[in-house]
Amino acid sequence: MIRQIALFFIFAIVSAPGMASIEIPLYEKGSDVFYLSGSIDGLGETEFLLDTGAGYSAISDKSLRILEQKTDVRYLRSLNSRLANGWVSKVEIYSIGRVEIGQECVLNNVEVAVVPGLSRNILGLNALRQMGHFSISFSPLALTVGRCQ
């Protein structure tokens, strides 16, 4: 009886609605980093550098100015952040309304660090955390996530 209950419980978890994974294609551009396509409400189509070492997703100050004119962005806080070059810099954190990753994954109210002069958008751990579990496969090259909003 206990075994039957345990098997039912496992089956219910595996087959629960919303548990299906979503596969998002990744691509390389002649380097050892991965990119993915997406869009940011107010900016349009863009690409993101996938950075599992970044605590926050990031956009440039130029992108922020455009978003402030076109959408409802909210300032949240400032914090000291260690950048990839090892320097510590003060960055401002904003919430942006909607980010689409690939063609099937929508994230709402994504916190982003605004980095002056940033040359590309970064998809960091905070956005990946919103997607539940994630994994990267190399054949095919893809980011697989557990959920999107």
Side-chain angles (χ1 to χ4, degrees):
M1 176 72 165
I2 292 175
R3 184 175 176 195
Q4 289 174 331
I5 292 171
L7 288 174
F8 174 76
F9 182 69
I10 290 169
F11 178 75
I13 290 173
V14 171
S15 64
M19 293 294 285
S21 294
I22 297 168
E23 192 172 279
I24 303 164
L26 295 172
Y27 54 92
E28 296 178 88
K29 295 187 339 181
S31 64
D32 291 331
V33 296
F34 300 136
Y35 293 87
L36 48 138
S37 298
S39 66
I40 298 174
D41 225 15
L43 289 179
E45 291 189 17
T46 188
E47 69 179 10
F48 294 92
L49 175 123
L50 178 62
D51 189 348
T52 60
Y56 280 90
S57 298
I59 62 172
S60 70
D61 52 337
K62 179 181 174 184
S63 293
L64 175 66
R65 286 192 299 275
I66 294 168
L67 287 172
E68 287 176 323
Q69 294 172 2
K70 295 184 174 186
T71 65
D72 183 28
V73 296
R74 289 182 304 121
Y75 171 79
L76 299 175
R77 63 190 167 281
S78 292
L79 54 84
N80 289 324
S81 176
R82 184 169 305 278
L83 304 177
N85 62 9
W87 296 355
V88 174
S89 178
K90 189 175 209 169
V91 295
E92 296 180 335
I93 306 296
Y94 284 80
S95 176
I96 57 177
R98 179 182 164 99
V99 174
E100 187 172 328
I101 306 299
Q103 301 208 358
E104 298 180 48
C105 187
V106 173
L107 302 175
N108 294 307
N109 303 315
V110 177
E111 292 186 9
V112 295
V114 177
V115 180
L118 188 67
S119 61
R120 56 188 161 224
N121 298 313
I122 295 173
L123 187 72
L125 283 177
N126 69 313
L128 292 170
R129 192 173 291 121
Q130 282 186 279
M131 298 180 209
H133 69 272
F134 73 91
S135 63
I136 297 170
S137 62
F138 293 94
S139 184
L141 190 55
L143 171 69
T144 303
V145 299
R147 68 172 178 265
C148 296
Q149 299 163 350

